[in-house]
Amino acid sequence: MQISSEYASLVQWVRNNTDASDPVLHIHAGMVVLILARLVTRHPLSHPVPFVVVVVVAAANEVLNRLNFGSWRWSDTMVDFTYSVFWPAMLFVVLAMQQRLQRRPAIRRMSASRRR
């Protein structure tokens, strides 16, 4: 059996054994991958690495779906990918911006003290 059909069987088992809809499963999968990537890489969520891992895993999921179904289902692919990466992307953007904004006053203070 091919990896894509084994993966499809696993996904179907998860769907059959939860009451969650497909969008909810994608949202949760994206968040689980984000947290695991954060723990494994030890990079904070404000660093791009955990988010990039989510994007790669979501893309791999869609490639495996394509291999299993034999063709792209673009509307389904784009919606699934968006559900998987949306909240990880929001967390990354907000936390990265917050980190940059918190650094800015410290940088200004340091440059002002050097001028004196």
Side-chain angles (χ1 to χ4, degrees):
M1 211 172 230
Q2 289 185 340
I3 292 173
S4 61
S5 58
E6 289 288 333
Y7 180 72
S9 297
L10 173 65
V11 169
Q12 191 59 46
W13 181 86
V14 170
R15 284 184 184 141
N16 291 341
N17 289 290
T18 64
D19 289 331
S21 65
D22 194 50
V24 170
L25 291 173
H26 278 278
I27 292 165
H28 282 82
M31 293 301 292
V32 166
V33 170
L34 180 70
I35 298 304
L36 289 175
R38 192 272 180 247
L39 293 172
V40 169
T41 66
R42 296 185 181 175
H43 286 288
L45 295 178
S46 59
H47 194 277
V49 168
F51 174 65
V52 169
V53 171
V54 172
V55 170
V56 169
V57 170
N61 174 60
E62 296 308 319
V63 167
L64 287 170
N65 284 344
R66 188 259 180 250
L67 292 173
N68 186 57
F69 294 126
S71 65
W72 288 106
R73 299 176 175 186
W74 284 110
S75 60
D76 187 51
T77 296
M78 298 312 292
V79 169
D80 289 350
F81 185 83
T82 303
Y83 281 134
S84 298
V85 302
F86 179 78
W87 285 114
M90 291 299 102
L91 280 171
F92 166 64
V93 168
V94 168
L95 293 172
M97 288 179 67
Q98 180 185 26
Q99 186 177 31
R100 285 185 179 91
L101 290 173
Q102 287 174 348
R103 283 187 195 166
R104 187 172 285 163
I107 292 170
R108 286 184 186 154
R109 276 185 257 131
M110 284 176 42
S111 63
S113 65
R114 287 182 186 169
R115 286 185 235 158
R116 291 180 190 171

